[in-house]
Amino acid sequence: MRRAFCLLLLLAIAAPAALAQTPRESPPQQEVPTYTEEVGTEYVLLPVLVFDKKGRFVDGLEKKDFRVRVETTPVELDTFERDDNAPVSMAFLLDTSGSMEIADKLDHAKQAIRSIVEARQPGDDFALFAFSEGKVDMVVDFTSSSRRLFAALEDLQAGGQTALFDAVAATPRLLKGKNAKRAILLFTDGVDNASKLDPTQMAEILQQVSTPVYAFGMKNVMYDLLSEKQRRELFVDNLRMLSASSGGKTEGMKCGSALASMIE
């Protein structure tokens, strides 16, 4: 009896262990669907805008100036096209001081501005600023409407002293055009008799901003007959300094002369 009891007890303990070790059949796994698609292209277009360290638009680049890599693999450039007609935000800065009334310089400057606006490219916008008596006034904020600008331009009159250097130094802070490519187009006879800034201070300010200034000096018919000393008295050198400091250029414009070459 004692042996039989021990045997039954052993079987009772071993049975659960045997049941636990019985493998269960796992349900069949469903295959995960896969999707593969291949796409090929012959060309990839890479539009690029290039700016210098001061944030100014860089023009005149060529194919040899660019390198393209996909991760670390160089990619050969097959074609290269330069678009010189990128839209521009132009700020016209017009001298309306009393000296601009002499020889109809203000009227000729107005006509030059009209010609530039009429030759605009799609996407260009422009604003009109006027300066005299030590302040800069925003006459028309940035717009693509030539009608608004022409109407405001017509109402401007000459009068007061000229604070040329102060006006040029202040204008870049007022620019809020929509385009990355920007420029200030200055129309003045170069006279400055009211600025708080001197030419050197003005140049230092312009070197820190990212907007080039293109100065158009309004000359009268007697300019070519003046001596070098007399020309310096008309601040021509200062116009060259302010445009060069900002990355722009200076052009002399005779009153009554053709505008075609200047606009190009």
Side-chain angles (χ1 to χ4, degrees):
M1 287 295 294
R2 184 175 295 177
R3 291 180 179 177
F5 175 78
C6 291
L7 181 59
L8 290 174
L9 182 61
L10 180 61
L11 290 174
I13 295 175
L19 291 174
Q21 295 176 358
T22 303
R24 295 182 180 179
E25 294 184 1
S26 59
Q29 295 182 351
Q30 295 182 350
E31 293 186 2
V32 178
T34 59
Y35 176 78
T36 303
E37 182 177 356
E38 294 183 1
V39 177
T41 180
E42 295 183 2
Y43 289 96
V44 175
L45 181 64
L46 296 176
V48 175
L49 287 174
V50 181
F51 301 90
D52 63 15
K53 293 181 179 180
K54 293 185 178 181
R56 295 177 299 200
F57 187 85
V58 178
D59 206 352
L61 296 175
E62 301 178 0
K63 180 179 178 180
K64 63 181 178 62
D65 299 316
F66 293 88
R67 299 289 185 272
V68 178
R69 294 177 182 273
V70 177
E71 294 182 349
T72 58
T73 305
V75 178
E76 182 180 356
L77 291 174
D78 185 71
T79 60
F80 176 84
E81 295 182 3
R82 186 177 65 222
D83 185 4
D84 293 327
N85 296 321
V88 184
S89 290
M90 293 175 282
F92 296 108
L93 181 58
L94 179 58
D95 183 351
T96 56
S97 62
S99 61
M100 288 290 287
E101 192 173 11
I102 301 173
D104 297 325
K105 285 179 282 189
L106 180 59
D107 289 337
H108 289 293
K110 289 180 178 180
Q111 182 55 45
I113 292 173
R114 292 189 193 98
S115 298
I116 293 173
V117 172
E118 289 171 352
R120 68 188 183 278
Q121 299 293 328
D124 289 348
D125 62 346
F126 27 78
L128 176 62
F129 298 86
F131 68 95
S132 66
E133 292 295 342
K135 64 177 182 177
V136 180
D137 293 321
M138 178 183 287
V139 182
V140 178
D141 202 353
F142 279 94
T143 179
S144 57
S145 172
S146 59
R147 183 177 300 179
R148 284 184 56 198
L149 188 139
F150 290 164
L153 189 65
E154 191 66 28
D155 294 335
L156 292 177
Q157 302 295 324
Q161 292 184 313
T162 311
L164 171 62
F165 306 146
D166 293 353
V168 174
T171 303
R173 298 195 299 269
L174 304 176
L175 298 186
K176 298 180 181 179
K178 65 181 181 180
N179 297 308
K181 189 175 182 180
R182 300 178 179 181
I184 297 173
L185 279 65
L186 168 65
F187 292 86
T188 180
D189 57 7
V191 175
D192 190 310
N193 50 27
S195 282
K196 296 178 181 178
L197 297 175
D198 61 36
T200 303
Q201 292 171 322
M202 175 201 62
E204 290 175 352
I205 293 174
L206 292 178
Q207 288 172 357
Q208 299 173 12
V209 300
S210 59
T211 305
V213 178
Y214 295 89
F216 298 94
M218 307 300 298
K219 304 186 298 184
N220 58 40
V221 293
M222 298 298 294
Y223 180 84
D224 292 332
L225 302 179
L226 299 178
S227 66
E228 286 298 321
K229 179 180 178 181
Q230 290 171 320
R231 292 185 185 186
R232 284 195 296 271
E233 292 174 351
L234 289 177
F235 297 94
V236 175
D237 289 343
N238 290 334
L239 289 181
R240 294 194 181 102
M241 178 188 294
L242 72 85
S243 58
S245 299
S246 65
K249 295 180 180 179
T250 297
E251 292 288 343
M253 178 181 158
K254 291 183 181 180
C255 294
S257 64
L259 299 174
S261 60
M262 182 196 70
I263 296 170
E264 291 175 358

